[in-house]
Amino acid sequence: MTRLETLQHNLLATFGETASLKLAYDELTLEINAKNWIDACTVLRDNETLGFDTCIDLCGIDYSGWGAPTLAFDPSLHAQRFAVVLHLLSVQHNWRLRVRVYVPNDEFPVIASLVDVWPAVNWYEREAFDLFGIVFDGHPDLRRILTDYGFIGHPFRKDFPLSGNVEMRYDTEQQRVVYQPVTIEPRVITPRVVREDGYGAGR
């Protein structure tokens, strides 16, 4: 039995039908229900047959327009608009796992913080909050980490305008940073391969 098959067997034995397990591209993805988020992640860490002692990464996902050229959300493809994805490592067993949870409430997405399970997620959760607007309940210091504190919106959401909502500059007369409406005119950029018939032919 390969290492991947062993991990798959151990996950199925541990979670049974309480979670969904998918295998693609030689990687396992475990989907967990939001209400079991903390308990399931604690099991992933503490169960000796799994032993995921290290969280390598946590990120947010916005499934708006998934598989379609529109920002409309299609619930038949994904349970919710927003999801949180973990990448875990077991140093002892030398295997990895991808874990996904769909975040309830598309208007105000909230999920429990994993800081008490893997303290390393602290800044990852702040990044997902900053860029996607996903709130991590119980996080000790949930504030922006990449954008400035006066920033409006969440720039990795698919409906966020490409030019942003405001721009900032240093005003020499006032001797301070000022915010003002965006002065960039919005435009649609179409790649040459799309806008020019026969682009690349004969090259």
Side-chain angles (χ1 to χ4, degrees), residues 167-174 176-180 183:
E167 64 184 31
M168 58 186 290
R169 63 178 176 81
Y170 181 77
D171 189 294
T172 54
E173 292 182 2
Q174 300 181 50
R176 67 180 182 89
V177 172
V178 297
Y179 292 88
Q180 62 188 38
T183 56

Side-chain angles (χ1 to χ4, degrees), residues 89-158:
L89 168 68
S90 171
V91 175
Q92 175 187 357
H93 299 295
N94 189 24
W95 53 37
R96 298 168 186 262
L97 179 67
R98 181 174 182 256
V99 185
R100 176 168 54 192
V101 60
Y102 289 102
V103 183
N105 193 344
D106 295 344
E107 298 301 318
F108 186 65
V110 180
I111 193 76
S113 172
L114 293 176
V115 167
D116 292 336
V117 181
W118 294 287
V121 303
N122 189 316
W123 282 17
Y124 296 141
E125 289 183 347
R126 285 180 58 188
E127 181 182 62
F129 163 70
D130 190 358
L131 301 180
F132 291 93
I134 298 171
V135 175
F136 292 87
D137 187 33
H139 191 286
D141 187 22
L142 194 63
R143 56 193 166 99
R144 292 186 182 273
I145 192 171
L146 294 175
T147 61
D148 64 282
Y149 298 135
F151 193 88
I152 299 173
H154 303 282
F156 276 19
R157 288 189 173 191
K158 301 268 182 82

